Amino acid sequence: MPFPSVRVIGGGLAGVEAAHLLARSGVPVELFEMRPKVTTPAHKTGMLAELVCSNSFKGTDPATAHGILKREMVSLGSLVLSAAGQSRVPAGKALAVDRETFSDIIIGQVDAQKLITLRREEVKEIDPDQPTIIATGPLTSDTLARNLAAMTGSERLFFYDAISPIIDAESIDMDHAFSGARWSDDCSDYLNCPLDEVCYKRFVNEVLEADKVRAHEFEDARFFEACLPIEIMAARGQDALRYGPMRPVGLKDPSTGKRPYAVVQLRKENLIGNAYTMVGFQTRLTFPEQKRVIGMIPAFSSAGFLRYGSIHRNTYLDSPRILQPDLQLIGYENIYLSGQITGVEGYTESAAMGIMAGISMLVRLKGGHLTSPGPETAIGALIRYITDGTINNFQPMNANFGIMSMPDAPKAVRNEMRSQTALLAFEEWKKSIAVTIKCDYPAPLQHIHTDIPDWKP
């Protein structure tokens, strides 16, 4: 019996993962993306899987939570990590990409799937009788968000996210910059722009005094703790930035032979290297103030901004009250949620929920019910967090060891033990998936390119 068509609403990271997985498994998909007809405050193009914030997918070390998450996603044939591996730019142990090349690869893979029909239109209302995966992300349109709030009986939640500036490489004063990565003498993937004590303290004072974009009075401007604007951090103390994104540890300025007092790190934004992102420099300073205040840093005295930093509102739902552990919307057997609207935070976390929503929908179409991976795994821990009904003050969460089960092992080997435990648990879960959906999952995904250098899964 042929599968019914599934609607996937949203062409971001979660949406393309879910759509691609279903189509490869023989399920016809209608993939809806409202851009470019309807845009958002953060998107700049109509491309699928546009990265609106950083161009980094964070680290790949399998002894970290982010590395474990990527390993699990690769083993499930992640389209997003396949594209990231092919569009990678130098960033040390981090997986950073050329944004345009990354999106081009995603679009090519989606177009190559004959069972995916891409529809460039806004979905304003969910049909509860139509199998649907909602992957509209944190920038869900107001109309659809109101519809979701009405369906769930849950008040919309929101927080503010901030974006870092991107600098024209030719405008950087290289006499006040040096290449290198923290704790590495042979890695030149980052450009470091040092500040002495006088310059740093003056910079911090100006950040605090500068004009800022303000939220409307009726909106509660809550920022995600792991992505705070520099002015929020600066207000926490004179040295807060110097112990945060401007920390100089592990670096030596070759012009002085000493560690700088503070440093701004830049990461390549694209493969040709003509643009750099200011690492960890999310900001809500007004555009003129960004040019003035950041221009006080010696390397940026004549900086040209290819993109100024900005803030936007991110929407997410009260998932512990409305989601089943298989990401099905409570009370709506045909509706699944995925991506950042569920309350996960981060590119890979969002994409992972897209994969899981796709698998859940596939299992349901085959007449089964998906059991999530265990809490020892990164994906399982994320799902448990966003569906834990005991959480009262639900806040967005990224992959971290704090939400994963802790192994009974000495501290010195605990992270390696976590990684090994997660690997074994995830492999056992994958075997159960093969039985549940009666196929050797992920056999259809073996052709996907998943070579990520410096990574030992």
Side-chain angles (χ1 to χ4, degrees):
M1 180 181 296
F3 291 115
S5 177
V6 173
R7 284 187 165 194
V8 176
I9 305 175
L13 301 179
V16 297
E17 287 278 27
H20 203 243
L21 184 145
L22 288 168
R24 289 196 308 267
S25 302
V27 180
V29 176
E30 289 183 290
L31 177 59
F32 289 83
E33 172 51 59
M34 67 181 184
R35 295 177 296 110
K37 293 180 181 178
V38 180
T39 189
T40 76
H43 286 94
K44 303 300 181 184
T45 75
M47 300 179 77
L48 298 180
E50 178 184 345
L51 303 180
V52 299
C53 294
S54 168
N55 70 325
S56 173
F57 287 82
K58 300 183 179 178
T60 59
D61 184 350
T64 66
H66 286 289
I68 292 171
L69 177 62
K70 291 179 179 66
R71 182 177 64 196
E72 293 170 2
M73 292 170 64
V74 166
S75 76
L76 296 176
S78 169
L79 171 62
V80 164
L81 290 185
S82 169
Q86 295 175 71
S87 57
R88 190 173 192 176
V89 298
K93 292 184 178 181
L95 177 57
V97 303
D98 181 308
R99 294 172 197 261
E100 291 188 10
T101 302
F102 171 79
S103 288
D104 283 341
I105 293 170
I106 294 287
I107 292 169
Q109 289 289 335
V110 169
D111 287 344
Q113 287 296 331
K114 303 303 182 184
L115 288 177
I116 296 178
T117 301
L118 179 58
R119 301 197 182 283
R120 294 285 187 170
E121 57 187 86
E122 180 185 3
V123 175
K124 298 181 179 181
E125 188 173 348
I126 303 300
D127 180 357
D129 296 323
Q130 172 74 37
T132 301
I133 294 176
I134 301 169
T136 47
L139 298 169
T140 298
S141 69
D142 286 342
T143 304
L144 183 57
R146 284 193 293 270
N147 179 236
L148 287 172
M151 289 177 65
T152 60
S154 172
E155 182 181 2
R156 267 197 303 166
L157 306 175
F158 54 86
F159 66 110
Y160 280 83
D161 203 0
I163 295 175
S164 298
I166 297 176
I167 307 295
D168 184 343
E170 292 187 355
S171 71
I172 299 168
D173 186 348
M174 294 300 179
D175 289 338
H176 295 283
F178 63 94
S179 297
R182 292 188 176 94
W183 309 113
S184 177
D185 295 328
D186 56 0
C187 178
S188 59
D189 292 349
Y190 289 87
L191 195 60
N192 303 283
C193 307
L195 296 80
D196 60 23
E197 183 175 3
V198 172
C199 183
Y200 170 78
K201 291 182 176 179
R202 180 167 166 252
F203 171 77
V204 170
N205 289 336
E206 290 298 319
V207 166
L208 293 173
E209 295 296 325
D211 290 335
K212 302 165 183 69
V213 176
R214 291 172 175 82
H216 296 297
E217 290 182 1
F218 61 86
E219 292 174 336
D220 177 17
R222 293 174 292 173
F223 291 94
F224 180 52
E225 191 67 23
C227 194
L228 291 173
I230 57 170
E231 54 274 9
I232 298 294
M233 287 186 277
R236 294 179 173 181
Q238 184 72 229
D239 287 327
L241 286 171
R242 205 162 69 89
Y243 284 91
M246 298 180 72
R247 63 189 183 280
V249 295
L251 293 170
K252 182 183 294 185
D253 187 343
S255 67
T256 64
K258 299 178 180 179
R259 175 194 293 181
Y261 188 79
V263 68
V264 176
Q265 279 202 315
L266 302 178
R267 180 181 59 238
K268 284 185 179 179
E269 175 66 23
N270 52 28
L271 291 170
I272 61 176
N274 64 357
Y276 280 88
T277 298
M278 299 182 71
V279 179
F281 250 65
Q282 300 83 219
T283 181
R284 57 179 177 144
L285 298 183
T286 63
F287 290 176
E289 290 289 70
Q290 286 183 50
K291 188 171 183 63
R292 179 183 72 83
V293 176
I294 293 175
M296 296 170 53
I297 299 170
F300 305 133
S301 58
S302 301
F305 289 76
L306 300 178
R307 180 188 75 184
Y308 285 101
S310 62
I311 65 168
H312 55 273
R313 191 177 71 185
N314 280 359
T315 300
Y316 63 100
L317 293 169
D318 191 10
S319 292
R321 251 59 61 185
I322 64 173
L323 277 191
Q324 302 275 17
D326 63 350
L327 303 182
Q328 186 184 83
L329 188 60
I330 294 174
Y332 297 89
E333 63 177 16
N334 290 314
I335 311 300
Y336 292 76
L337 297 186
S338 71
Q340 283 187 251
I341 198 169
T342 66
V344 296
E345 171 62 25
Y347 289 151
T348 47
E349 290 85 345
S350 177
M353 294 304 101
I355 294 172
M356 292 305 297
I359 294 174
S360 290
M361 178 66 78
L362 180 60
V363 170
R364 181 184 176 278
L365 294 177
K366 287 176 172 283
H369 177 79
L370 182 71
T371 300
S372 300
E376 308 91 348
T377 69
I379 289 178
L382 283 168
I383 291 177
R384 184 177 66 168
Y385 175 79
I386 64 174
T387 59
D388 182 0
T390 65
I391 296 177
N392 293 319
N393 184 27
F394 182 60
Q395 297 292 320
M397 182 67 68
N398 54 20
N400 65 84
F401 283 148
I403 63 173
M404 296 172 68
S405 296
M406 181 181 295
D408 183 14
K411 186 175 181 180
V413 298
R414 192 171 294 160
N415 288 352
E416 292 183 10
M417 183 66 72
R418 286 181 192 269
S419 180
Q420 185 64 20
T421 301
L423 177 61
L424 294 175
F426 200 75
E427 290 302 312
E428 284 299 312
W429 174 79
K430 281 172 56 183
K431 291 178 183 178
S432 73
I433 289 297
V435 172
T436 302
I437 65 175
K438 298 181 175 61
C439 72
D440 186 19
Y441 191 85
L445 320 180
Q446 290 175 353
H447 66 285
I448 296 296
H449 171 76
T450 53
D451 177 30
I452 300 180
D454 306 324
W455 191 14
K456 300 175 182 179

